[in-house]
């Protein structure tokens, strides 16, 4: 058996909360969480009680006591369905149980369709970081993201985005990359920029189905093309002004650091889930009976987080990845990516990731070197700046030809 994860998982973990479980006012075609209703009785109230909220808040802060920053992450389903009163109470409990020296913050992942001015004022005053789900312009967002009545949602999401910006709420956009919007990478990226979005997470949709993946899932080729084309837009003008989680994670890997997101880490297991009733699961992508660790109202949270079951879950990512991953020259940046995307043992998106890493390698090396020299990563953009045109009839010097040839070589 492999040696335990070091340091212990409880020394640095995040417990994301699903206070209303999988209940949602949308019916997204690719949603993997709505079926989780089947894990609980049909008459389940699907609301986190005050007793569970208090136990969660107290124990999470106790377990996180060595950490200077503790983040409460609220997800769903649609967490706004809990109502503002629930989150006002959550902030009260956080103030009550926070240890000396602990800084507490909150994040809130939402589809945005229920947000109004009162919500936005609260989120601003509570200093919440809001993650807004938006898959791009209406023609690629609406086909897959409709409400329970079958109506499109993009315009409502864009309205929420405008309200959040008007109230100066800190936000980022979570863009699910599915079979449709994956065909328009540049249009999606430009659209998000036009909306004033400066922080983006691109999340590949991979939903297992019949031994393969669903018709809504992104293909490996689409995923690689999407990342490469967005990167090509970003590297020319947006380094340092638009922040894309996957690109930041890659740069960290090229700098020799452990990737900051679990998807690319050597092991996982440090992003657990608490359901509405206090049940703790290994990960929100593994909310299954075999990955249920227990309930924090019955067993101390620290004991569940550091349990042998969670240790094994954390190590399985590293120990069960294919030999091809171990031989890959980009294993340092990927580590087999997310185990949820493994279909038949191999990662469904492997070919796409390889293409992406090959494509960005020269630029990542340049940015990493710039940072090591105390320069900003944005200096990489200088090679793309337009140079003065050579006057007609004027011969280029040998030095000019060499310089331009070098730029073209780096850009290919």
């Amino acid at each position: 058996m492999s040696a335990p994860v070091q340091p212990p998982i409880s020394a640095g973990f995040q417990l994301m909360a699903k206070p209303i479980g999988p209940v949602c006012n949308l019916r997204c075609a690719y949603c993997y969480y709505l079926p989780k209703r089947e894990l609980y009785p049909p008459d389940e109230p699907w609301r986190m009680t005050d007793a569970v909220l208090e136990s969660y808040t107290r124990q999470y802060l106790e377990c996180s006591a060595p950490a200077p920053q503790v983040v409460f992450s609220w997800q769903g389903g649609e967490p706004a369905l809990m109502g503002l009163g629930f989150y006002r109470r959550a902030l009260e409990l956080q103030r009550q149980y926070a240890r000396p020296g602990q800084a507490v913050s909150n994040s809130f992942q939402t589809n945005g369709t229920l947000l109004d001015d009162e919500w936005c004022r609260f989120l601003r005053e509570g200093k919440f970081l809001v993650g807004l789900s938006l898959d791009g312009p209406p023609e690629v967002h609406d086909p897959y993201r409709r409400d329970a009545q079958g109506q499109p949602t993009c315009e409502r999401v864009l309205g929420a985005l405008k309200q959040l910006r008007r109230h100066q709420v800190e936000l980022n956009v979570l863009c699910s990359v599915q079979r449709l919007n994956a065909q328009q990478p540049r249009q999606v990226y430009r659209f998000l920029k036009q909306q004033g979005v400066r922080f983006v997470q691109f999340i590949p949709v991979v939903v297992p189905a019949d031994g393969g993946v669903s018709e809504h899932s992104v293909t490996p080729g689409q995923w690689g093309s999407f990342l490469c084309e967005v990167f090509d837009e970003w590297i020319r003008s947006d380094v340092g002004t638009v922040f894309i989680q996957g690109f930041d994670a890659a740069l960290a890997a090229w700098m020799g650091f452990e990737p900051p997101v679990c998807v690319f880490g050597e092991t996982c297991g440090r992003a657990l889930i608490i359901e509405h009733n206090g049940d703790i699961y290994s990960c929100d992508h593994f909310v299954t009976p075999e990955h249920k660790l227990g309930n924090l109202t019955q067993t101390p949270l620290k004991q569940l987080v550091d349990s042998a079951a969670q240790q094994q879950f954390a190590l399985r990512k590293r120990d069960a990845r294919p030999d091809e991953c171990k031989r890959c020259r980009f294993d340092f940046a990927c580590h087999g990516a997310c185990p949820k995307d493994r279909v038949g043992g191999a990662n469904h998106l492997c070919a796409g990731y390889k293409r992406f890493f090959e494509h960005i390698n020269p630029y990542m090396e340049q940015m990493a070197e710039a940072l090591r020299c105390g320069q900003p990563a944005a200096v990489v953009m200088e090679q793309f700046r337009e140079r003065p045109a050579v006057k007609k009839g004027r011969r280029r010097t040998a030095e000019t030809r060499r310089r331009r040839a070098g730029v073209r070589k780096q850009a290919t």
Side-chain angles (χ1 to χ4, degrees), residues 27-209:
R27 296 295 181 269
C28 299
Y30 52 72
C31 182
Y32 66 91
Y33 222 81
L34 281 175
K36 301 306 177 183
R37 283 174 175 265
E38 299 172 5
L39 293 174
Y40 296 93
D43 58 348
E44 184 78 20
W46 296 110
R47 291 185 67 84
M48 183 176 283
T49 64
D50 190 73
V52 172
L53 175 62
E54 182 169 7
S55 182
Y56 159 48
T57 306
R58 175 178 53 79
Q59 293 194 59
Y60 187 35
L61 288 167
E62 284 177 355
C63 282
S64 305
Q69 179 77 25
V70 183
V71 181
F72 285 79
S73 298
W74 308 99
Q75 303 192 15
E78 175 46 53
L81 289 169
M82 287 297 294
L84 278 169
F86 174 84
Y87 297 101
R88 291 191 175 105
R89 174 62 174 157
L91 295 186
E92 289 178 4
L93 291 169
Q94 290 169 17
R95 288 191 290 267
Q96 177 180 340
Y97 288 110
R99 302 299 183 89
Q102 276 185 327
V104 180
S105 61
N106 290 266
S107 66
F108 191 81
Q109 183 63 44
T110 177
N111 60 48
T113 60
L114 301 175
L115 301 186
D116 56 18
D117 281 333
E118 186 180 10
W119 264 105
C120 291
R121 281 194 296 271
F122 168 78
L123 294 168
R124 168 62 179 170
E125 292 167 0
K127 298 181 180 179
F128 279 68
L129 168 62
V130 172
L132 187 67
S133 296
L134 176 62
D135 288 0
E139 61 268 24
V140 295
H141 175 102
D142 285 335
Y144 289 165
R145 296 187 66 85
R146 293 183 174 267
D147 64 20
Q149 290 72 46
Q151 298 301 306
T153 61
C154 190
E155 290 305 319
R156 281 177 276 173
V157 178
L158 293 176
L161 177 58
K162 291 178 182 177
Q163 285 185 309
L164 289 164
R165 292 185 63 202
R166 186 169 65 250
H167 286 274
Q168 298 182 319
V169 178
E170 186 179 1
L171 66 90
N172 61 32
V173 161
L174 190 155
C175 178
S176 296
V177 181
Q178 21 86 343
R179 191 72 59 93
L180 187 58
N181 67 356
Q183 300 173 39
Q184 301 182 25
R186 294 177 189 269
Q187 294 92 322
V188 168
Y189 180 62
R190 291 169 184 171
F191 175 81
L192 295 177
K193 285 207 304 178
Q194 288 168 1
Q195 309 309 311
V197 175
R198 292 296 176 264
F199 295 87
V200 186
Q201 298 178 49
F202 290 115
I203 309 297
V205 171
V206 180
V207 181

Side-chain angles (χ1 to χ4, degrees), residues 273-300:
I273 280 291
I274 176 172
E275 278 287 349
H276 61 291
N277 67 343
D279 285 346
I280 306 295
Y281 289 87
S282 294
C283 169
D284 73 327
H285 291 288
F286 291 88
V287 177
T288 60
E290 58 268 32
H291 292 100
K292 179 181 173 182
L293 302 173
N295 189 291
L296 58 60
T297 66
Q298 301 163 5
T299 306

Side-chain angles (χ1 to χ4, degrees), residues 231 246-260 264 329-334 353-369 371-372:
F231 184 86
F247 300 170
D248 289 346
L251 182 55
W254 259 263
M255 287 288 294
F257 303 129
E258 178 72 13
F264 300 121
R329 74 188 187 104
F330 295 116
D331 187 50
F332 73 96
C334 179
Y353 277 121
K354 277 187 178 179
R355 179 183 173 188
F356 172 61
F357 292 136
E358 287 279 5
H359 185 74
I360 68 173
N361 182 53
Y363 305 105
M364 286 295 163
E365 289 180 345
Q366 291 176 53
M367 287 192 286
E369 182 60 26
L371 290 171
R372 293 188 190 101

